[in-house]
């Protein structure tokens, strides 16, 4: 790995961090997701040549910037019958959630390619496991979402909490990947690469 890759990878990592963590003052998001997507897009632009998944993730990030600006109006939630929002709000929220999931999966495919190229085999396996689990969980959540409107609050509350917690955990595990890739060091005697951190 050349030093020119370190800063873009860390930019992507910090962008994902800003997307994951919300810092709010009342109802105002002090660190809007749009900033995180812009930061990730700038990192992707620096390393996307020759990596199609990064190129597509970079393009998708700009669409997510626009959608995230309207986040307060269509936040992805399991609303119960007493908190029903207009159908179009739910539809846009679902689209936003699905596009973000595709964005994360594209990043994972790009990270996987880098780990394979740099022969970081232990990290490569971790990326594949996290990508597969993330894809499964987000698919189940998207599939399950329409059914919550016919459920009582007490029935879906624990499912909501468990699903949200699992997504946060998986997003955290994914955002660690670019930081770990940026710390890859070649072994002095050749062979596989060491991953520090």
């Amino acid at each position: 790995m050349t030093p020119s890759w370190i800063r873009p990878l860390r930019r992507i990592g910090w962008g994902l961090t800003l997307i994951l963590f919300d810092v709010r003052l009342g109802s105002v998001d002090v660190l809007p997701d749009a900033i995180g997507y812009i930061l990730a897009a700038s990192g992707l632009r620096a390393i996307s040549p020759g990596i199609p998944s990064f190129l597509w993730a970079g393009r998708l990030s700009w669409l997510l910037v626009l959608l995230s600006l309207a986040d307060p109006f269509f936040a992805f939630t399991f609303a119960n019958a007493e908190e029903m929002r207009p159908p179009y709000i739910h539809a846009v929220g679902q689209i936003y959630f699905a596009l973000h999931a595709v964005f994360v999966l594209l990043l994972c495919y790009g990270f996987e390619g880098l780990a394979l190229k740099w022969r970081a085999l232990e990290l490569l396996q971790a990326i594949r496991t996290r990508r597969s689990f993330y894809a499964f969980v987000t698919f189940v959540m998207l599939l399950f979402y329409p059914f919550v409107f016919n459920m009582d609050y007490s029935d879906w509350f624990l499912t909501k909490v468990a699903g949200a917690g699992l997504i946060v955990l998986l997003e955290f595990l994914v955002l660690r990947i670019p930081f770990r890739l940026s710390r890859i060091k070649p072994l002095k005697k050749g062979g596989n690469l060491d991953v520090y951190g």
Side-chain angles (χ1 to χ4, degrees), residues 26-47:
S27 61
V28 178
D29 191 353
V30 178
L31 297 173
D33 290 351
I35 297 175
Y37 286 118
I38 291 171
L39 198 56
S42 80
L44 288 166
R45 182 178 180 184
I47 62 176

Side-chain angles (χ1 to χ4, degrees), residues 9 19-20 31 33 43 80 121 124 137 147 151 155 164-165 177 186 192-193:
L9 283 169
I19 294 167
L20 177 60
L31 297 173
D33 290 351
N80 62 19
L121 302 184
L124 175 63
V137 171
F147 296 99
M151 298 172 64
D155 292 334
I177 295 171
N192 292 341
L193 303 180

Side-chain angles (χ1 to χ4, degrees), residues 57-79:
R59 292 172 177 171
L60 184 56
S61 64
W62 291 108
L63 176 59
L64 288 166
V65 166
L66 297 177
L67 288 173
S68 66
L69 292 175
D71 179 65
F73 302 102
F74 58 78
F76 180 79
T77 58
F78 286 102

Side-chain angles (χ1 to χ4, degrees), residues 1 3-5 12 16 19 28 39 57 71 73-75 79-80 86 100-101 114 116 121-122 153 163-164 191:
M1 181 187 68
S4 62
W5 288 77
I12 295 169
L16 292 174
I19 294 167
V28 178
L39 198 56
D71 179 65
F73 302 102
F74 58 78
N80 62 19
H100 174 76
L114 292 181
L116 186 61
L121 302 184
E122 184 178 344
Y153 178 83

Side-chain angles (χ1 to χ4, degrees), residues 116-182:
L116 186 61
K117 177 181 178 181
W118 297 335
R119 292 170 294 142
L121 302 184
E122 184 178 344
L123 181 56
L124 175 63
Q125 185 57 47
I127 294 170
R128 286 175 173 169
T129 300
R130 295 173 191 186
R131 170 176 52 80
S132 299
F133 199 29
Y134 183 87
F136 173 76
V137 171
T138 53
F139 174 77
V140 169
M141 290 186 71
L142 286 166
L143 187 66
F144 178 72
Y145 185 78
F147 296 99
V148 302
F149 301 108
N150 297 319
M151 298 172 64
D152 293 329
Y153 178 83
S154 58
D155 292 334
W156 61 258
F157 180 75
L158 290 177
T159 303
K160 170 191 173 181
V161 172
L166 192 54
I167 284 293
V168 169
L169 174 61
L170 291 172
E171 295 262 0
F172 175 75
L173 292 174
V174 169
L175 74 82
R176 291 188 66 234
I177 295 171
F179 291 114
R180 292 181 65 186
L181 282 169
S182 72

